[in-house]
Amino acid sequence: MINPMQQVIIAVRKRDSEAVITALQDAGVLHLKPITGGPLNTGSLAGQDALARREDERLLARAESTIAELGAYRPAPAPLPAQGEWENVVEAAAVPVGALAKERQVLQADLDAEAAYGPAVRALSHIVGGLDRSRRVSLVPFLLQPTDNVAELDAALQGSLKDRYLLATEPVGQNRVGVIATLRGERDAARTALGKVRLGELRLPGRFDTMPLSEAAAEMERIQKGGADRQVALNGTREKLAQTHGPALYAVRDALKDRVAIHDVRAVSARGKYSLAMQGYVPADRVPALTAALGKFGDAVSYELHEADEHHDRTIPVELKNNSYVRPFSLVMGLMSLPKYGTFDPTWVIAVFFPLFFGIIIADIGYGLLFLLFGMWLLGKAKRNEGWNLSFFGAYIPPATLKDLGFVTNVMAAWAILWGVLTGEFFGTLLEHMHFFYINPGLLDRLWGWTGLTFPVEPEKVAEGYYKGLIPIVFPRLETSYFSNVALVFSLLFGILQVLWGWGIRIQQGVKHKDPVHVWEGLALFGGVGALILMAFATQAGKNFGEFSNFANPLILLMYVGFALFLIGWIRVIKHYPLLPIELLSQGGAVVSYARIFAVGLVSAILAKLCTDVGWSLYENIGFLGIIIGVILGAALHFFVLALTLIGHVIQPLRLHMVEFLNPTGFNAETSPAYNPLRRLSPRTSAGQVK
């Protein structure tokens, strides 16, 4: 649910403003809203306040850049030095860290240059001997690709320089390097000849460009031999500096952020000569914390609380407040924008249906167990307060996020295992081959006969013992010859539920906000989509259009009511939505989109079955050796198929919620800012603890 908000206005004497803002930072509950216009000053600070802000921001930037150059994770909290020592603390760290950073940068540039040009430079040095130190001869090095023709270059040089040059090449890896030696005054002519055959002079980077080739080769040789050790030593020095200066530097950085935040609060407040006024929002359940923070100032502070106006105020922040099961699914909601304040929070819907859809698609006990192991691994790291450094993505997942991710993964795994029991799938048909799961036609007739299906018994399979086993399969999605239509309609039922539910929410929100346009739009499309669904059932998906005149069929009567509701609603909103009939067809397609649950799941099951059948056939044809080969090959194929299709298995349920379900609700049309209260980072003066 969306946490209800209270709007608050606070007025304080200017001389007490810093103490009041500090108390609000300690409380950590007030989301500020800028005040614009009016008779009091707003916006940028001026005079002494502006100078103080610039100085704090300068020192904060210095601290931030020093911390970035240290490259260390946040250390344990340290005591905050006295405010008069902050600049000395920052500079004591910034000077050696800055010098070290320049040294590391130069070394890294040298290592990169050696890695890219070292072999070529050494080969060129070998070619030229000591000729690179001559005052009369000029050297033009170049690089040849395997497809380049040296003879063409030789011909171009002959045309420009006659016999007044020397040309030599030497292989370096798959390419070749070469050098042209000519008189110093004819260097440009040699370069022109290179250009004629689409070759360019080899220029070395940085400081190596001005060195003779032999000197550059010697320098790169030195870097190759000692550069890595030097880099390790510099990194060790950086770690020591981080240990020495990091704790105090972080403490000062946090305190400076708090001071800059005070300046920011003043900038978004209304300021007079003797007073300052702030406005913002506080969650209703945290009003006591706000009143406690302001109450200690007595008459020096005046404030007023009232309900936030969700109908007209678009700046009310949103905080999602859900139970312990739903809350971790806010991680999934993070892929979407926040709902608009006063509307519908879909987190609990996603918490129920997203893992359910995933489980229906996977529906494999073996795959579900793999997800369960992964989820337990994530929870184990979170329990040990360890993050997950995804260096190949350039990302770091903190322990709190890992805890939520592990919980969501385990719920998804549980549904996959449950549906795997219903479909009888364990890494495809492995347990079916072993007659642990089996098809029981009589049971399936009793379960699904109401749909008109009769499950056939094939005599040749009876002889093979196909219909014998331990646990009967109750949702045989792999029996596509007779069960696919049932599985397809089962998936579409979710589409009927969620699309109609979405338009029902649209109606409810329109009534709540007294918006007749959205009310009639919702009624029109709720009735129209419902009518299309009833028409599909009544005519058996278009096989019997004669049912249109069968008024004894209650489905037909409801269908006409639905179409009438659509026409009335369309007439009421035709000025705003003239193309609503096209939207009706689109919403019918949205219902059909839920066939993805069946289609994607069936493809996954067929691929898993093929992987297992390949391994099982090796066992049947080779024997004991086939078991070993079959297990290895089957496991490799299952891993490949799962890795190849996993993203789709997660994306499809997300898409159904983000598009087909949430579009009708209006969720994707409007959003509100996230609740971001003013908080203290540095230790409280009174408690001495980091918040």
Side-chain angles (χ1 to χ4, degrees), residues 501-518:
W501 188 5
W503 285 111
I505 292 171
R506 186 72 155 184
I507 297 169
Q508 180 264 334
Q509 290 295 316
V511 172
K512 178 181 177 181
H513 294 284
K514 300 179 182 179
D515 186 343
V517 173
H518 284 159

Side-chain angles (χ1 to χ4, degrees), residues 198-456:
R198 296 177 299 281
L199 295 175
E201 182 180 2
L202 178 63
R203 301 296 298 268
L204 300 182
R207 64 192 182 95
F208 300 102
D209 187 46
T210 58
M211 295 182 182
L213 286 172
S214 57
E215 185 177 337
E219 183 65 12
M220 288 189 177
E221 187 73 20
R222 183 188 65 79
I223 293 169
Q224 183 188 38
K225 291 180 179 178
D229 292 338
R230 178 60 179 159
Q231 191 173 46
V232 170
L234 291 178
N235 288 339
T237 302
R238 185 173 69 160
E239 291 178 4
K240 290 180 181 178
L241 286 173
Q243 293 172 1
T244 302
H245 298 285
L249 194 59
Y250 268 98
V252 170
R253 191 280 305 267
D254 290 345
L256 285 167
K257 278 193 171 184
D258 289 338
R259 285 191 59 78
V260 170
I262 292 174
H263 297 309
D264 291 339
V265 171
R266 286 172 171 161
V268 300
S269 303
R271 306 180 303 277
K273 186 175 182 180
Y274 302 108
S275 63
L276 181 142
M278 297 171 273
Q279 67 175 350
Y281 304 92
V282 60
D285 57 357
R286 286 169 227 169
V287 168
L290 178 71
T291 56
L294 298 178
K296 63 184 180 182
F297 293 97
D299 295 338
V301 175
S302 297
Y303 62 94
E304 179 182 319
L305 287 158
H306 55 83
E307 293 290 334
D309 184 4
E310 64 184 46
H311 301 293
H312 303 97
D313 191 345
R314 296 182 178 273
T315 62
I316 305 174
V318 165
E319 181 189 43
L320 303 182
K321 183 181 179 182
N322 294 297
N323 60 40
S324 58
Y325 171 78
V326 174
R327 187 195 54 76
F329 286 87
S330 298
L331 185 71
V332 181
M333 280 293 297
L335 301 173
M336 305 177 242
S337 59
L338 285 169
K340 185 179 183 297
Y341 183 81
T343 59
F344 171 68
D345 173 20
T347 310
W348 72 269
V349 179
I350 291 173
V352 172
F353 287 98
F354 168 69
L356 172 61
F357 291 172
F358 177 84
I360 296 173
I361 291 173
I362 293 290
D364 189 291
I365 299 172
Y367 289 166
L369 290 174
L370 291 179
F371 281 105
L372 185 61
L373 289 173
F374 178 62
M376 297 303 293
W377 178 77
L378 292 174
L379 289 177
K381 288 183 74 69
K383 189 175 181 180
R384 296 188 299 271
N385 200 32
E386 297 177 3
W388 190 10
N389 189 17
L390 299 173
S391 55
F392 49 92
F393 287 131
Y396 174 78
I397 304 178
T401 305
L402 283 185
K403 183 180 179 181
D404 291 345
L405 183 59
F407 178 84
V408 171
T409 302
N410 283 348
V411 176
M412 294 162 62
W415 278 111
I417 292 171
L418 175 60
W419 276 95
V421 173
L422 298 178
T423 60
E425 296 174 28
F426 181 90
F427 292 115
T429 53
L430 179 60
L431 292 185
E432 194 174 346
H433 280 298
M434 300 169 68
H435 294 284
F436 188 86
F437 289 110
Y438 73 104
I439 296 292
N440 186 331
L443 175 64
L444 292 176
D445 280 338
R446 292 192 296 274
L447 286 174
W448 300 102
W450 60 274
T451 65
L453 290 181
T454 300
F455 292 85

Side-chain angles (χ1 to χ4, degrees), residues 336 346 349-357 498 594 651-665 667-668:
M336 305 177 242
V349 179
I350 291 173
V352 172
F353 287 98
F354 168 69
L356 172 61
F357 291 172
Q498 288 206 336
Y594 283 76
I651 291 297
Q652 293 302 337
L654 276 178
R655 184 195 183 281
L656 292 174
H657 285 89
M658 294 174 68
V659 180
E660 274 72 18
F661 173 62
L662 289 179
N663 268 350
T665 69
F667 176 89
N668 294 320

Side-chain angles (χ1 to χ4, degrees), residues 49 78 179 224 251 276 280 470 614 637 671 685:
D49 289 340
V179 64
Q224 183 188 38
L276 181 142
L470 183 62
V614 168
L637 289 174
T671 186
T685 305

